Amino acid sequence: MKVCVLICMVLLSGFIKSGEAQTKPFLVNCGVTSSVNIDGRRWIGDLDTGDNFTLSYPGIAASTPNISEESIYETLYKTARFFTESSNYTFGVDPGNYYLRLHFYPFSFEDNDVSKSLFTIMANNLKLVSGFSVTTEISRKNSYMETLGSNSSSSSLMKEYFVNVNSAELVIEVIPDEGTFAFVNAIEVIPVLSKLFEGSVSKVGENGADNSLNLGERGIETVYRLNVGGPEIKPDRDQDLWRIWESDISYMFTSYAGSEIKNASNITYSSVNDSSVAPLLVYETARTMTNNEVLEKRFNMSWKLEVDPNFDYLVRLHFCELVYDKDNQRVFRIYVNNKTASENFDVFARAGGMNKAYHQDYVDVVSSQIDTLWIQLGPDTAAGATGTDALLNGLEIFKLSRRGDLSRISDRSGSGGKSGGLKSRALWLGIGAGVASIAVIAFLCAMFVRRRNTMAPNKSHPPGWRPFFLHGTFGNSTNNAQGSKFPGGTLTLNGSMATIRTGKYFTLAEMRLATNNFDDSLVIGVGGFGKVYKGEIDDGSLVAIKRAHPQSQQGLREFETEIEMLSKLRHRHLVSMIGFCQEQNEMILVYEYMANGTLRTHLFGSDLPPLTWKQRLDACIGAARGLHYLHTGAERSIIHRDVKTTNILLDENFVAKMADFGLSKTGPALDHTHVSTAVKGSFGYLDPEYFRRQHLTEKSDVYSFGVVLFEVVCARPVINPSLPKDQINLAEWAIRWQRQGSLESIVDPKLRKCYSLDSFKKFGEIAEKCLADEGKNRPTMGEVLWHLEYVLQLHEASLRRNSVEDSFSSTQIPANPDNPEVGNENNADHNLVEGRETVIDLNLGEDEENTRGSSISNGTAGVEEFSQLVHPQGR
Ligand SMILES: *[C@@H]1O[C@H](CO)[C@@H](O)[C@H](O)[C@H]1NC(C)=O
Ligand SMILES: *[C@@H]1O[C@H](CO)[C@@H](O)[C@H](O)[C@H]1NC(C)=O
Ligand SMILES: *[C@@H]1O[C@H](CO)[C@@H](O)[C@H](O)[C@H]1NC(C)=O
Ligand SMILES: *[C@@H]1O[C@H](CO)[C@@H](O)[C@H](O)[C@H]1NC(C)=O
Ligand SMILES: *[C@@H]1O[C@H](CO)[C@@H](O)[C@H](O)[C@H]1NC(C)=O
Ligand SMILES: *[C@@H]1O[C@H](CO)[C@@H](O)[C@H](O)[C@H]1NC(C)=O
Ligand SMILES: *[C@@H]1O[C@H](CO)[C@@H](O)[C@H](O)[C@H]1NC(C)=O
Ligand SMILES: *[C@@H]1O[C@H](CO)[C@@H](O)[C@H](O)[C@H]1NC(C)=O
Ligand SMILES: *[C@@H]1O[C@H](CO)[C@@H](O)[C@H](O)[C@H]1NC(C)=O
């Protein structure tokens, strides 16, 4: 056997002598004399070195009978060489690049307590570690993994370096600190024959300025090597370089932001020189942004990586477009440490096609005090791509040496002990607390209403209104929806798009005039669809003008949906459309302006005065009414599909209206229970059942509305990644408190307990019911509405009982002193006054009457009092 190996070696050395580069790796099993086959490779005992390497001082051959970690390297881990004096492993090599791997599995042996071991390791002139404690390093790593929520802890450590050798020797010098000892369990020296790193790399944040890496002299440490969206790739699957590609999932910050995709069909390298950069296996799996069909993906996929401060890092991202067969489908931004590293990143375009393995490098400095490297991929809405989605297949982070030194500062200063780990962990937590990004940030900030002229609708909508036509169908051309009453009989809400097609047609010139040529200072909201401007139309009334992004295909679909939906819907609690403009590829919708913006801005994230309990109930009731109308008002129900606090807008009297019907869908026909459709909606509000089964029913809106209810009570974002893991998702978190009967513990402190406890309890119960796992166990919107009205009555009744004025509201919201009095029971009155909504609102009027009727008949004695609260001031 040995003879055979020897012969092989001779043959190999023959090749070397004949001018071929040294291709033979050195694999050293420390602390033993005999060689052993592991992972398909032969590891040579370090006292059986032959001529290939030498060990200047033998130290102690140490071993342990047991090891606690299951690993293919178990045999290597069971033995180590302990050094109480400096010693050199000297390898005879050809000049070139090498991967050097040091394997550590700490165990104590005889008098040598491994927790006291501290040492330095040099590779030629490069300092790899100093003041290094393996046990500290391992516990540091494990506690870092713990902060990431991973319970995978390890008891071994592997450190990998990329070194350039320009002489015929690679000397690995192991130097124990004074009075302690050093140890190492195994060493790999792997020649790297192909070029893995380019000479220069663009530096993040410096406009792509190239930074010479000078890798030849610098020396690199691999800090992370992740197979994104896939399982760990073992060394034997990365044949020539024997690298380990860890699974990325543990390092993801909120892992559900990214979902895994896989396609191994036909991947090739985009450049012939790349074949060693990563095995193709890495490119077969990827992570894309969760919920491919969810619009407005306003979050990032983020990887949070602990690194040593005060070093330059080379960030290598591996990409391969596995799904789209053309460009401009998936265009995103890449952030490294919160700085934009690339915009408009289109993998297909860069790699030159689908299934092309491609990588991109960046260099960034991690300064002192910071030990986190964030890699984030997120939407590039400015890019105008068809979809906002990001993709990543692999990720490597390399630390670049500073003046021949790769060791951590704290190690260098000799304090590499336990405090280092603790300090670092504290820092971690601190940094974690500052996080606030994934959140599906409010996007369509708003269309605001200003109903200046509601008392004189005819005056506010001067002649010039005319019906508009879509798809060749046209409406009842004699109707002027905005100004005059419909003759009752001509208007039917029968679900057909053609029946009510009225509204003003605006010219593009009028739109430019209204928005000061789309002045960015007038932007009140931005969404996947485009921008929303505040504008003033010719009669002086304020409107919200939603202008579709010209390249957005999704936009066109939504634009049409919205016109279709809104043209057949009129309701006091639905934002109404005033008109539209379709000219020169422009798609513009004009809405009533909602003066108080989104419900969300009144709950948190702004310094607006907090809403009182009554105002919150009113807003919920208003929104519930709008949704109830959608679900039942027309012959076929309409499912909103994007119920959230940013789509609930408040007018100048804080009357809530549902907005944004771009995703709305006509509900199931009578003989069907659901609509099968791609999942759309917003992160944090999505009905899990709909998400799982792609069956859409009205109950999906009910679920989202339940999340809204909790948001209203807790006044926090529905997704807040800066919170501990169990609190990130509001729906999950709040429901736990609610089930324990202690929702009050997490109530918005700004409510200052100004609510009646029984109304609060009932409110929590409703929210809980809305979040039932299965749609069939959730109430209908009509039931929700009824219950909410009951909650309001409970609250009002208790206020009366206690003769407590809702002092909070009247003092805190001076701008709207009448506001708390704007109940929903006065809808009828309002509808009578406000011509334009009432007229069109035929079915609805009845519907609301019915709901109200049931609510009153089931209500408590407070009904009388309740109706007295109706705002006396007509508008
Ligand atoms: C070490 O390498 C030399 C050539 O450099 C070769 O002759 C010898 O057989 C090798 N020995 C071992 C144990 O690998
Ligand atoms: C090895 O394991 C055995 C049984 O699991 C245990 O009794 C023994 O103490 C262990 N030895 C060491 C050195 O940990
Ligand atoms: C190890 O090698 C270095 C340089 O290669 C040398 O300075 C040092 O004295 C050597 N140490 C031992 C113990 O041989
Ligand atoms: C944590 O441990 C449990 C049981 O040991 C296991 O089922 C689970 O998958 C682990 N989670 C992670 C993230 O490793
Ligand atoms: C994988 O990609 C190929 C095209 O490269 C495609 O034909 C095939 O359907 C894909 N397979 C899956 C499971 O998506
Ligand atoms: C695989 O890729 C090659 C080169 O890109 C292409 O010529 C071939 O048609 C592809 N095969 C399949 C099955 O997609
Ligand atoms: C591959 O590498 C060679 C030698 O470094 C170079 O000349 C050639 O341009 C490279 N090819 C590509 C496609 O980058
Ligand atoms: C994504 O991350 C970057 C950098 O941290 C941040 O500036 C940006 O706002 C984030 N995007 C979203 C949508 O959260
Ligand atoms: C970078 O972004 C992350 C995630 O969004 C955030 O937690 C962190 O505080 C940001 N860091 C800085 C320095 O802004």
Side-chain angles (χ1 to χ4, degrees), residues 661-719:
F661 297 87
L663 291 185
S664 299
K665 213 163 174 78
T666 309
L670 276 183
D671 48 342
H672 289 85
T673 55
H674 63 263
V675 185
S676 285
T677 175
V679 176
K680 297 197 178 192
S682 293
F683 225 41
Y685 293 95
L686 256 189
D687 171 12
E689 194 185 43
Y690 168 39
F691 188 61
R692 274 195 309 274
R693 303 172 52 204
Q694 317 210 336
H695 287 178
L696 182 67
T697 71
E698 293 90 322
K699 296 299 182 67
S700 304
D701 280 353
V702 174
Y703 181 93
S704 309
F705 190 74
V707 180
V708 166
L709 293 181
F710 277 127
E711 195 179 343
V712 163
V713 180
C714 302
R716 52 151 279 190
V718 293
I719 300 284

Side-chain angles (χ1 to χ4, degrees), residues 497-508:
M497 302 302 172
T499 10
I500 319 157
R501 281 276 160 66
T502 44
K504 181 172 156 105
Y505 180 84
F506 291 95
T507 64
L508 186 55

Side-chain angles (χ1 to χ4, degrees), residues 338-350:
N338 307 55
K339 288 171 292 192
T340 304
S342 279
E343 293 180 316
N344 263 317
F345 201 92
D346 184 338
V347 173
F348 184 97
R350 284 176 184 249

Side-chain angles (χ1 to χ4, degrees), residues 26-32 36 38 41 43-44 46 73-81 83 89 91 100-105 107 121 157-159 172 183-189:
F26 295 99
L27 304 172
V28 182
N29 182 14
C30 304
V32 289
V36 57
I38 300 169
R41 297 182 288 175
W43 297 70
I44 307 164
D46 65 356
Y73 294 128
E74 199 176 309
T75 316
L76 299 180
Y77 293 162
K78 278 182 172 169
T79 62
R81 195 159 291 279
F83 300 98
Y89 283 95
F91 299 88
L100 166 62
R101 300 197 183 103
L102 304 174
H103 296 261
F104 301 99
Y105 180 91
F107 58 82
I121 295 183
L157 181 70
M158 190 272 284
K159 290 186 81 78
I172 298 178
F183 73 94
V184 57
N185 299 67
I187 301 171
E188 293 176 59
V189 177

